[in-house]
Structure formats: structure tokens, C-alpha cells
Amino acid sequence: MTALPAAAETLAPVIEAGAFFDCEVLEVRHYTDTLFSFRTARPQSFRFRTGEFVMIGLAGEGKPTLRAYSLAGPSWDDALEFYSIKVEDGALTSRLKHIRPGDRVLVGRKPTGTLVLDALLPGKRLFLLSTGTGVAPFASIVREPDVYARYDQVILTHTCRTAAELAYSQELVAGLKDDPLVGETAPEKLIYFSSVTREDGPQTGRITDLIQSGLFFKSIQQARFDPDHDRVMICGSLAMLEELKTIFQELGFTEGSNARPGSFVVEKAFSGDGI
């Protein structure tokens, strides 16, 4: 039997994992010692709904280690964007954090997730509540024109340990005024609220505590949650997800899904920050 060429042997693990695209890394940006973002080439056939996630891995592995990552870029972008935590001994991020432009990343072919507009009933205000890298799907949502067509106001929250960890969302919001599709509507309709938990800042405290105390609503000068008109998306740590889920259920909100839209949705697929 004739032996396979070395190139074929090298490609075999990627071909065998046929559910993935092998994408070139275009750009990498490190925000802190624990946070970074990267952009990859986008296959022409790849389609996703704003707010969905895919499985990510590293090319060149016999059997790649995979983690769920939100698609942080808008669905109309010609590249794919991701936002990640770095974990010292993380099965994937301990190596993923070293990628550079020109390297290869495996991107799943089948995006999915519950943080999509179709999982929510029509409403007037849309709240996007996040902690840590949980802001990633909302980075996609706030750049989606249809969001501003559906809602009178969009409120994005981001809570991190330190002010330095807010850089990604701060730059995201600041850049919306120059966005080619939402540059006119986003600045008028979007409210951005951030807080930190391990140092002093303009707002200090967990988002759950700030909501319960009323300081959150006072800060953004908005009325408290109304299940008849407000819609909510939640993404972050597991503890935050469970606590907010309880809060909203007690207020009369109903959890939605792709099959049955409701007044709030949560994403648990990467509540461990995709390590």
C-alpha cells in the first residue's frame, strides 16, 4: 500500500473533524493579563444569528480541545471576532492566548444559542446584563441594526473585577458612533452602565446587588423592570445567571427559548468563561 503524503497526514485531524472551518487569525489584541480578543477570516458560507456562539479549537491537534465562544462581531462583518479570558492552566486558553496573526483556529460550522432576538417577545426596552467575557454576545447585538428597529431603548451593563477589565466594552460603546450601520441610531438609544467589584470606581458592586438596591435604575435614570414591556438577555458567571434568573422570575418574567419566546433569556453554554 502506498503511504499517504506527509501533507495529507498533517491535514487528517482537521478533515476528520469535518464540523469545523480552519480559519486564519487576522488580528489579536491583549487588554489585560487575563483578557484578549482575536479576529479570524470568515468562510464565505458561514452564517449566524446575532448573539449565537460556536465551538472553538486549535488547528494541528490530533483531537482538538473545544470550548464555546460567542461570536462577538456583527453578523454582517466580513471577519469573525471573539473575546476570551486567559487561564494559566486552562485546557484551551493556556495555548490560545499565544496565537498571532497568521496562525490557524478551528471554528465550528454550526452556530447556536439562546441570546437571539427571536427568543424574546416584542418589547420596548432591551436589557443586556453581563459580567466578564459574558459581554461578548452583546458586542454583536449592539451592532445589529434590527435591535434598534425593535426596541426604543437598549441598556448594556458590564460588571468586572477591575476598571481595566472594562476596556473592551468601553471601546465597543465609544466606537458605535462610527459604526457604518448603527452609527446614527445606537448613540440615541443605547445606555451603557458599568461597575467594578474589587476596587473603587464610579459604580462599585455586583450588578445583582445594584439592581436589588435600586442604585442601578437611579444611575441610568430609568424605571424599574416591567415584565410587560422589558426584555432581558443575561450572560456571565453561573452564580450571576442563577441569581438574576430568580430575580426576574419573581418579578413575573418568563424564560424564553428558540422554540418558545419569553421575556428573558440566559446563556449557560460558556458560564465558565470558556477556559
Side-chain angles (χ1 to χ4, degrees), residues 199-221:
E199 63 183 29
D200 292 333
Q203 295 292 341
T204 302
R206 298 164 62 239
I207 186 62
T208 48
D209 294 336
L210 295 171
I211 287 173
Q212 294 284 54
S213 70
L215 290 176
F216 167 62
F217 304 101
K218 182 178 180 180
S219 177
I220 64 174
Q221 299 181 329

Side-chain angles (χ1 to χ4, degrees), residues 23-93:
C23 300
E24 180 183 357
V25 175
L26 304 177
E27 180 183 348
V28 181
R29 176 149 184 210
H30 296 269
Y31 291 88
T32 70
D33 290 341
T34 59
L35 295 168
F36 72 109
S37 66
F38 59 98
R39 288 166 60 83
T40 75
R42 177 175 180 170
Q44 291 186 347
S45 63
F46 187 72
R47 299 290 182 271
F48 68 93
R49 293 182 298 170
T50 301
E52 289 188 316
F53 68 87
V54 291
M55 303 305 292
I56 291 289
L58 285 175
E61 297 180 334
K63 184 176 181 181
T65 300
L66 305 173
R67 292 292 184 268
Y69 273 81
S70 284
L71 291 146
S75 60
W76 47 263
D77 199 350
D78 58 3
L80 301 178
E81 180 179 333
F82 303 94
Y83 184 49
S84 178
I85 193 173
K86 306 174 192 176
V87 179
E88 186 72 23
D89 57 351
L92 177 60
T93 61

Side-chain angles (χ1 to χ4, degrees), residues 66-237:
L66 305 173
R67 292 292 184 268
Y69 273 81
S70 284
L71 291 146
S75 60
W76 47 263
D77 199 350
D78 58 3
L80 301 178
E81 180 179 333
F82 303 94
Y83 184 49
S84 178
I85 193 173
K86 306 174 192 176
V87 179
E88 186 72 23
D89 57 351
L92 177 60
T93 61
S94 60
R95 288 168 295 129
L96 188 64
K97 66 183 181 181
H98 297 298
I99 59 172
R100 297 179 179 181
D103 290 342
R104 315 292 298 186
V105 171
L106 299 179
V107 177
R109 293 175 180 267
K110 296 183 178 180
T112 187
T114 57
L115 299 180
V116 293
L117 296 179
D118 291 342
L120 292 174
L121 296 166
K124 294 183 178 180
R125 296 191 300 181
L126 175 63
F127 287 84
L128 308 172
L129 309 179
S130 70
T131 60
T133 55
V135 75
F138 303 147
S140 175
I141 289 170
V142 298
R143 287 181 277 186
E144 171 57 56
D146 193 32
V147 170
Y148 301 99
R150 295 192 187 201
Y151 295 96
D152 297 332
Q153 287 183 311
V154 179
I155 298 93
L156 170 66
T157 82
H158 191 202
T159 298
C160 294
R161 298 171 302 174
T162 67
E165 295 176 345
L166 295 170
Y168 181 79
S169 62
Q170 290 172 339
E171 291 185 4
L172 166 72
V173 173
L176 289 177
K177 66 180 185 300
D178 300 317
D179 188 277
L181 296 187
V182 301
E184 293 185 2
T185 55
E188 297 179 357
K189 291 191 173 185
L190 181 72
I191 296 173
Y192 171 65
F193 174 89
S194 63
S195 66
V196 294
T197 59
R198 295 190 182 179
E199 63 183 29
D200 292 333
Q203 295 292 341
T204 302
R206 298 164 62 239
I207 186 62
T208 48
D209 294 336
L210 295 171
I211 287 173
Q212 294 284 54
S213 70
L215 290 176
F216 167 62
F217 304 101
K218 182 178 180 180
S219 177
I220 64 174
Q221 299 181 329
Q222 293 287 314
R224 289 179 176 268
F225 295 125
D226 176 357
D228 291 331
H229 302 293
D230 292 335
R231 302 297 173 252
V232 184
M233 293 183 171
I234 309 168
C235 189
S237 67

